[in-house]
Amino acid sequence: MSDRAPGENAKPVPRAIVAGHGDFASGLVSAVDVITGRGTQLIPVAVPGLCAEDIEKLIRERMTESGVKVIFTDLQAGSCTMAARRILRGADDAVLIAGVNLPTLLDFVFADQMPAIDAARHAAERGRGAISVVGAAGGGGGGGGGGGGVKQA
Amino acid sequence: MTLVLHRIDDRLIHGQVVVGWGQPLDIRFIVLVDDEVAASEWEQELYRMGVPPEMDVYFLNVARAVDELPRLRADTRQGILLTGDIDTMRRLVDSGGITSVNLGGIHHRTGRSQRLRYVFLNNDEESALREIAALGVSISAQDVPGARPVPLDDILAGVAS
């Protein structure tokens, strides 16, 4: 175990973009920061009123400015996901995780000793298992912790 | 059932279409009419990845769509016809059978001015919409089912916001 204080080792350098509908990205990044103090690893991108071309351009600009190679998006069919897929076309050094949730990002920001792409893949698996169903005769449990996986009714 | 929505949306297949309209209308197929997408396997695969497996997507250029629309309208499932621009929809309207058009998303681009949060038009596009309406087609803007439909007259008169 480390004897560092929580958040002491937080890296201010961005490691990923989070993009999605409405205020999804800023909300999720805010939640990550409240929980971990590591929200600065994530660049939230909102795309209100933009056409598909401008969404792609905006995400591409954010990637170029920051040098990040990881994109998290909210919805498989979302226009941010479509844009990210276009950006990643032919790119071997970047990764897209679509359908991101809070446990995924929590795992990602704590995996700062890993290369960002590897951390994203690992986090995606944790996030996938972090959804649980409780009550209504469905039994409890299921799901992993997923980087802090809080079970909710 | 048949094509229950004829939508102009420059994002083509995205969340509002697949989830926002797709789920409440029980949409089982999307007819995406776009000459560029119809000519590109890669583009088609991109859009196909965005829809759930129970939803079919048919990619057609305008010429083929004109031929196929009668058959597609006879489909027993509910579907959405989608174009990325006004001109494509106008060409389909000219072929007949379309009585209403939904403006779902025509976003900012150089030369366009804002009419609604999600509708920006240049002069040519405004004229094209007027021409479509003159054919007896009902045109309104509505990005998602829960939003209030805004009639074309209100959009062009600047009374909608």
Side-chain angles (χ1 to χ4, degrees), chain A:
Chain A
M1 293 291 290
S2 168
D3 57 1
R4 287 189 295 267
E8 185 179 330
N9 197 36
K11 290 189 174 181
V13 178
R15 299 172 67 224
I17 284 170
V18 183
H21 294 80
D23 297 324
F24 175 87
S26 59
L28 213 49
V29 172
S30 169
V32 169
D33 203 51
V34 166
I35 295 168
T36 70
R38 296 175 179 233
T40 54
Q41 291 186 31
L42 306 168
I43 303 170
V45 175
V47 297
L50 299 184
C51 67
E53 291 169 7
D54 287 345
I55 293 171
E56 181 180 339
K57 182 181 174 189
L58 177 60
I59 295 174
R60 199 182 289 278
E61 284 175 355
R62 292 290 179 274
M63 291 180 75
T64 303
E65 292 163 1
S66 62
V68 305
K69 301 293 185 183
V70 175
I71 309 171
F72 293 102
T73 60
D74 57 352
L75 190 65
Q76 293 285 349
S79 41
C80 289
T81 304
M82 297 294 187
R85 283 185 170 139
R86 292 181 190 280
I87 292 168
L88 264 59
R89 185 183 187 185
D92 296 329
D93 62 344
V95 68
L96 162 68
I97 309 294
V100 68
N101 56 15
L102 182 56
T104 301
L105 292 184
L106 293 175
D107 191 87
F108 177 79
V109 297
F110 278 115
D112 56 358
Q113 72 283 10
M114 298 170 67
I117 289 177
D118 295 341
R121 293 185 187 284
H122 182 268
E125 292 306 313
R126 295 298 298 270
R128 198 194 309 274
I131 295 173
S132 61
V133 178
V134 178
V150 178
K151 291 183 180 179
Q152 296 181 333

Side-chain angles (χ1 to χ4, degrees), chain B residues 3 6 14 22 33 45 49 63-64 68 84 99 108 114 132 141:
Chain B
L3 294 168
H6 298 79
H14 65 111
V33 184
E45 184 58 27
M49 283 190 290
R64 187 159 168 227
E68 295 277 337
T99 58
H108 178 266
Q114 185 167 11
I132 293 172

